[in-house]
Amino acid sequence: MALATLASQDRKLEIVNPSTSVQSSNQQTNNDFFLYYHDGSQSENITLTYTRGGSASLDLDLIIYKKDYIYLEDVYVAAGYNSSSIATQSRRIASLDGGAESVSMAGLATGWYLINVKVNVYNNNTTTGINGTASYTLTKNGVALCAKER
């Protein structure tokens, strides 16, 4: 497994964007990426659970990219574009998701994938921009995961 168990430590994303009309996501500050090996299990679920802090109500999304991925911006998703690089995803609206996103790995081939935890920044029009934090945990079938460098 490419992800190791994390002893009750949360990851944090911090968003500081001076723009008042955000259309794209900064891959270094608004995203976390994790290399993950899927063993082909048909009962594997990856779940993102998060809490928000700061002045912005951040919406986190969970995207699983294939190993040779091309990053897809929210503005393109909103316009109806699809990407063959995305294996599966959960992009529910923050006010409706209750701070959780989940995807099933069932049906996906054995191999390497890239887990992307990202802040959905598309069309966040505010007078102060997007400023806030979100703490989250990633789990596989209820077991906490974190990145392992390879």
Side-chain angles (χ1 to χ4, degrees):
M1 181 167 46
L3 296 177
T5 301
L6 177 64
S8 70
Q9 247 184 339
D10 286 344
R11 300 268 311 164
K12 268 194 178 175
L13 284 175
E14 183 171 351
I15 307 308
V16 179
N17 191 324
S19 173
T20 57
S21 179
V22 181
Q23 300 295 320
S24 63
S25 179
N26 182 315
Q27 288 189 48
Q28 293 181 336
T29 61
N30 300 9
N31 293 267
D32 281 339
F33 296 93
F34 303 92
L35 184 61
Y36 178 74
Y37 185 80
H38 173 56
D39 64 9
S41 169
Q42 297 302 300
S43 61
E44 200 167 272
N45 292 301
I46 306 292
T47 302
L48 164 70
T49 307
Y50 65 97
T51 56
R52 298 174 277 272
S55 61
S57 241
L58 301 180
D59 176 17
L60 297 190
D61 291 333
L62 177 61
I63 303 159
I64 311 295
Y65 285 102
K66 296 175 184 173
K67 67 177 181 174
D68 296 323
Y69 80 101
I70 297 173
Y71 183 80
L72 186 66
E73 284 290 357
D74 293 333
V75 66
Y76 297 113
V77 173
Y81 290 93
N82 292 315
S83 171
S84 60
S85 294
I86 296 175
T88 186
Q89 62 187 328
S90 179
R91 293 178 179 258
R92 296 173 19 190
I93 299 169
S95 60
L96 303 177
D97 71 17
E101 303 276 353
S102 186
V103 296
S104 171
M105 300 295 283
L108 297 180
T110 299
W112 292 100
Y113 292 86
L114 188 74
I115 298 174
N116 178 203
V117 175
K118 74 177 303 294
V119 177
N120 183 337
V121 297
Y122 178 71
N123 223 12
N124 271 308
N125 295 313
T126 66
T127 56
T128 60
I130 299 174
N131 296 296
T133 60
S135 296
Y136 69 86
T137 56
L138 273 175
T139 59
K140 174 185 140 186
N141 295 340
V143 178
L145 303 172
C146 75
K148 177 182 176 185
E149 291 187 5
R150 184 173 165 84

PDB file of all heavy atoms in Angstrom, residues 89-110:
ATOM      1  N   GLN A  89     -14.487  10.327  -8.821  1.00  0.00           N
ATOM      2  CA  GLN A  89     -14.451  11.596  -8.087  1.00  0.00           C
ATOM      3  C   GLN A  89     -15.715  11.807  -7.277  1.00  0.00           C
ATOM      4  O   GLN A  89     -16.752  11.209  -7.557  1.00  0.00           O
ATOM      5  CB  GLN A  89     -14.264  12.758  -9.050  1.00  0.00           C
ATOM      6  CG  GLN A  89     -15.396  12.900 -10.049  1.00  0.00           C
ATOM      7  CD  GLN A  89     -15.124  13.949 -11.098  1.00  0.00           C
ATOM      8  OE1 GLN A  89     -14.462  14.944 -10.825  1.00  0.00           O
ATOM      9  NE2 GLN A  89     -15.633  13.753 -12.301  1.00  0.00           N
ATOM     10  N   SER A  90     -15.620  12.680  -6.289  1.00  0.00           N
ATOM     11  CA  SER A  90     -16.765  13.153  -5.520  1.00  0.00           C
ATOM     12  C   SER A  90     -16.607  14.661  -5.389  1.00  0.00           C
ATOM     13  O   SER A  90     -15.655  15.147  -4.785  1.00  0.00           O
ATOM     14  CB  SER A  90     -16.809  12.497  -4.140  1.00  0.00           C
ATOM     15  OG  SER A  90     -17.915  12.984  -3.402  1.00  0.00           O
ATOM     16  N   ARG A  91     -17.533  15.389  -5.993  1.00  0.00           N
ATOM     17  CA  ARG A  91     -17.477  16.859  -5.999  1.00  0.00           C
ATOM     18  C   ARG A  91     -18.800  17.428  -5.505  1.00  0.00           C
ATOM     19  O   ARG A  91     -19.373  18.310  -6.110  1.00  0.00           O
ATOM     20  CB  ARG A  91     -17.207  17.375  -7.416  1.00  0.00           C
ATOM     21  CG  ARG A  91     -15.846  17.043  -7.958  1.00  0.00           C
ATOM     22  CD  ARG A  91     -15.725  17.566  -9.385  1.00  0.00           C
ATOM     23  NE  ARG A  91     -14.460  17.316  -9.980  1.00  0.00           N
ATOM     24  CZ  ARG A  91     -13.491  18.228 -10.114  1.00  0.00           C
ATOM     25  NH1 ARG A  91     -13.663  19.448  -9.688  1.00  0.00           N
ATOM     26  NH2 ARG A  91     -12.358  17.910 -10.701  1.00  0.00           N
ATOM     27  N   ARG A  92     -19.274  16.911  -4.394  1.00  0.00           N
ATOM     28  CA  ARG A  92     -20.541  17.393  -3.866  1.00  0.00           C
ATOM     29  C   ARG A  92     -20.386  18.806  -3.323  1.00  0.00           C
ATOM     30  O   ARG A  92     -19.296  19.235  -2.950  1.00  0.00           O
ATOM     31  CB  ARG A  92     -21.029  16.450  -2.778  1.00  0.00           C
ATOM     32  CG  ARG A  92     -21.330  15.073  -3.360  1.00  0.00           C
ATOM     33  CD  ARG A  92     -21.661  14.028  -2.349  1.00  0.00           C
ATOM     34  NE  ARG A  92     -22.070  14.553  -1.063  1.00  0.00           N
ATOM     35  CZ  ARG A  92     -22.221  13.810   0.006  1.00  0.00           C
ATOM     36  NH1 ARG A  92     -21.993  12.539  -0.031  1.00  0.00           N
ATOM     37  NH2 ARG A  92     -22.594  14.337   1.147  1.00  0.00           N
ATOM     38  N   ILE A  93     -21.467  19.538  -3.241  1.00  0.00           N
ATOM     39  CA  ILE A  93     -21.471  20.921  -2.753  1.00  0.00           C
ATOM     40  C   ILE A  93     -21.331  20.911  -1.230  1.00  0.00           C
ATOM     41  O   ILE A  93     -21.995  20.139  -0.546  1.00  0.00           O
ATOM     42  CB  ILE A  93     -22.759  21.642  -3.180  1.00  0.00           C
ATOM     43  CG1 ILE A  93     -22.840  21.665  -4.717  1.00  0.00           C
ATOM     44  CG2 ILE A  93     -22.823  23.045  -2.589  1.00  0.00           C
ATOM     45  CD1 ILE A  93     -24.171  22.119  -5.247  1.00  0.00           C
ATOM     46  N   ALA A  94     -20.465  21.790  -0.708  1.00  0.00           N
ATOM     47  CA  ALA A  94     -20.133  21.806   0.718  1.00  0.00           C
ATOM     48  C   ALA A  94     -21.362  21.865   1.619  1.00  0.00           C
ATOM     49  O   ALA A  94     -21.438  21.176   2.627  1.00  0.00           O
ATOM     50  CB  ALA A  94     -19.198  22.967   1.037  1.00  0.00           C
ATOM     51  N   SER A  95     -22.327  22.695   1.262  1.00  0.00           N
ATOM     52  CA  SER A  95     -23.501  22.836   2.128  1.00  0.00           C
ATOM     53  C   SER A  95     -24.344  21.565   2.138  1.00  0.00           C
ATOM     54  O   SER A  95     -25.164  21.366   3.017  1.00  0.00           O
ATOM     55  CB  SER A  95     -24.351  24.022   1.672  1.00  0.00           C
ATOM     56  OG  SER A  95     -24.789  23.826   0.340  1.00  0.00           O
ATOM     57  N   LEU A  96     -24.124  20.682   1.171  1.00  0.00           N
ATOM     58  CA  LEU A  96     -24.896  19.448   1.090  1.00  0.00           C
ATOM     59  C   LEU A  96     -24.108  18.211   1.501  1.00  0.00           C
ATOM     60  O   LEU A  96     -24.693  17.173   1.790  1.00  0.00           O
ATOM     61  CB  LEU A  96     -25.412  19.240  -0.350  1.00  0.00           C
ATOM     62  CG  LEU A  96     -26.272  20.363  -0.920  1.00  0.00           C
ATOM     63  CD1 LEU A  96     -26.629  20.054  -2.365  1.00  0.00           C
ATOM     64  CD2 LEU A  96     -27.526  20.557  -0.088  1.00  0.00           C
ATOM     65  N   ASP A  97     -22.767  18.317   1.527  1.00  0.00           N
ATOM     66  CA  ASP A  97     -21.981  17.107   1.786  1.00  0.00           C
ATOM     67  C   ASP A  97     -21.697  16.857   3.259  1.00  0.00           C
ATOM     68  O   ASP A  97     -21.184  15.806   3.617  1.00  0.00           O
ATOM     69  CB  ASP A  97     -20.691  17.089   0.963  1.00  0.00           C
ATOM     70  CG  ASP A  97     -19.641  18.097   1.408  1.00  0.00           C
ATOM     71  OD1 ASP A  97     -19.720  18.621   2.532  1.00  0.00           O
ATOM     72  OD2 ASP A  97     -18.726  18.363   0.619  1.00  0.00           O
ATOM     73  N   GLY A  98     -22.012  17.807   4.125  1.00  0.00           N
ATOM     74  CA  GLY A  98     -21.797  17.607   5.555  1.00  0.00           C
ATOM     75  C   GLY A  98     -20.343  17.408   5.928  1.00  0.00           C
ATOM     76  O   GLY A  98     -20.028  16.831   6.953  1.00  0.00           O
ATOM     77  N   GLY A  99     -19.423  17.859   5.076  1.00  0.00           N
ATOM     78  CA  GLY A  99     -17.998  17.739   5.378  1.00  0.00           C
ATOM     79  C   GLY A  99     -17.422  16.374   5.043  1.00  0.00           C
ATOM     80  O   GLY A  99     -16.440  15.963   5.641  1.00  0.00           O
ATOM     81  N   ALA A 100     -18.030  15.673   4.077  1.00  0.00           N
ATOM     82  CA  ALA A 100     -17.506  14.357   3.694  1.00  0.00           C
ATOM     83  C   ALA A 100     -17.696  14.110   2.200  1.00  0.00           C
ATOM     84  O   ALA A 100     -18.702  14.500   1.615  1.00  0.00           O
ATOM     85  CB  ALA A 100     -18.196  13.259   4.485  1.00  0.00           C
ATOM     86  N   GLU A 101     -16.707  13.500   1.612  1.00  0.00           N
ATOM     87  CA  GLU A 101     -16.737  13.056   0.213  1.00  0.00           C
ATOM     88  C   GLU A 101     -16.246  11.613   0.220  1.00  0.00           C
ATOM     89  O   GLU A 101     -15.342  11.268   0.981  1.00  0.00           O
ATOM     90  CB  GLU A 101     -15.804  13.901  -0.661  1.00  0.00           C
ATOM     91  CG  GLU A 101     -16.068  15.386  -0.653  1.00  0.00           C
ATOM     92  CD  GLU A 101     -17.155  15.820  -1.635  1.00  0.00           C
ATOM     93  OE1 GLU A 101     -17.617  14.987  -2.433  1.00  0.00           O
ATOM     94  OE2 GLU A 101     -17.526  17.003  -1.595  1.00  0.00           O
ATOM     95  N   SER A 102     -16.817  10.774  -0.630  1.00  0.00           N
ATOM     96  CA  SER A 102     -16.423   9.371  -0.657  1.00  0.00           C
ATOM     97  C   SER A 102     -16.479   8.829  -2.077  1.00  0.00           C
ATOM     98  O   SER A 102     -17.363   9.206  -2.852  1.00  0.00           O
ATOM     99  CB  SER A 102     -17.347   8.557   0.252  1.00  0.00           C
ATOM    100  OG  SER A 102     -16.893   7.225   0.351  1.00  0.00           O
ATOM    101  N   VAL A 103     -15.513   7.967  -2.419  1.00  0.00           N
ATOM    102  CA  VAL A 103     -15.500   7.311  -3.730  1.00  0.00           C
ATOM    103  C   VAL A 103     -15.259   5.821  -3.539  1.00  0.00           C
ATOM    104  O   VAL A 103     -14.574   5.401  -2.612  1.00  0.00           O
ATOM    105  CB  VAL A 103     -14.427   7.899  -4.675  1.00  0.00           C
ATOM    106  CG1 VAL A 103     -14.712   9.351  -5.000  1.00  0.00           C
ATOM    107  CG2 VAL A 103     -13.034   7.736  -4.108  1.00  0.00           C
ATOM    108  N   SER A 104     -15.819   5.044  -4.441  1.00  0.00           N
ATOM    109  CA  SER A 104     -15.579   3.603  -4.472  1.00  0.00           C
ATOM    110  C   SER A 104     -14.501   3.323  -5.504  1.00  0.00           C
ATOM    111  O   SER A 104     -14.505   3.895  -6.591  1.00  0.00           O
ATOM    112  CB  SER A 104     -16.864   2.871  -4.851  1.00  0.00           C
ATOM    113  OG  SER A 104     -16.578   1.505  -5.093  1.00  0.00           O
ATOM    114  N   MET A 105     -13.596   2.433  -5.164  1.00  0.00           N
ATOM    115  CA  MET A 105     -12.538   2.027  -6.099  1.00  0.00           C
ATOM    116  C   MET A 105     -12.951   0.770  -6.872  1.00  0.00           C
ATOM    117  O   MET A 105     -12.177   0.261  -7.676  1.00  0.00           O
ATOM    118  CB  MET A 105     -11.230   1.789  -5.337  1.00  0.00           C
ATOM    119  CG  MET A 105     -10.707   3.007  -4.576  1.00  0.00           C
ATOM    120  SD  MET A 105     -10.228   4.378  -5.624  1.00  0.00           S
ATOM    121  CE  MET A 105      -8.645   3.807  -6.221  1.00  0.00           C
ATOM    122  N   ALA A 106     -14.159   0.289  -6.628  1.00  0.00           N
ATOM    123  CA  ALA A 106     -14.651  -0.910  -7.311  1.00  0.00           C
ATOM    124  C   ALA A 106     -14.623  -0.701  -8.821  1.00  0.00           C
ATOM    125  O   ALA A 106     -15.003   0.347  -9.331  1.00  0.00           O
ATOM    126  CB  ALA A 106     -16.068  -1.239  -6.851  1.00  0.00           C
ATOM    127  N   GLY A 107     -14.159  -1.710  -9.528  1.00  0.00           N
ATOM    128  CA  GLY A 107     -14.118  -1.649 -10.975  1.00  0.00           C
ATOM    129  C   GLY A 107     -12.863  -1.029 -11.553  1.00  0.00           C
ATOM    130  O   GLY A 107     -12.652  -1.058 -12.764  1.00  0.00           O
ATOM    131  N   LEU A 108     -12.026  -0.437 -10.690  1.00  0.00           N
ATOM    132  CA  LEU A 108     -10.786   0.174 -11.180  1.00  0.00           C
ATOM    133  C   LEU A 108      -9.675  -0.876 -11.237  1.00  0.00           C
ATOM    134  O   LEU A 108      -9.588  -1.759 -10.375  1.00  0.00           O
ATOM    135  CB  LEU A 108     -10.359   1.337 -10.289  1.00  0.00           C
ATOM    136  CG  LEU A 108     -11.323   2.519 -10.235  1.00  0.00           C
ATOM    137  CD1 LEU A 108     -10.783   3.604  -9.315  1.00  0.00           C
ATOM    138  CD2 LEU A 108     -11.578   3.078 -11.620  1.00  0.00           C
ATOM    139  N   ALA A 109      -8.842  -0.759 -12.234  1.00  0.00           N
ATOM    140  CA  ALA A 109      -7.748  -1.711 -12.421  1.00  0.00           C
ATOM    141  C   ALA A 109      -6.718  -1.594 -11.300  1.00  0.00           C
ATOM    142  O   ALA A 109      -6.544  -0.529 -10.700  1.00  0.00           O
ATOM    143  CB  ALA A 109      -7.069  -1.438 -13.761  1.00  0.00           C
ATOM    144  N   THR A 110      -6.045  -2.695 -11.033  1.00  0.00           N
ATOM    145  CA  THR A 110      -4.928  -2.687 -10.096  1.00  0.00           C
ATOM    146  C   THR A 110      -3.859  -1.739 -10.636  1.00  0.00           C
ATOM    147  O   THR A 110      -3.588  -1.717 -11.829  1.00  0.00           O
ATOM    148  CB  THR A 110      -4.339  -4.110  -9.983  1.00  0.00           C
ATOM    149  OG1 THR A 110      -5.352  -4.982  -9.481  1.00  0.00           O
ATOM    150  CG2 THR A 110      -3.131  -4.144  -9.071  1.00  0.00           C
TER     151      THR A 110
END
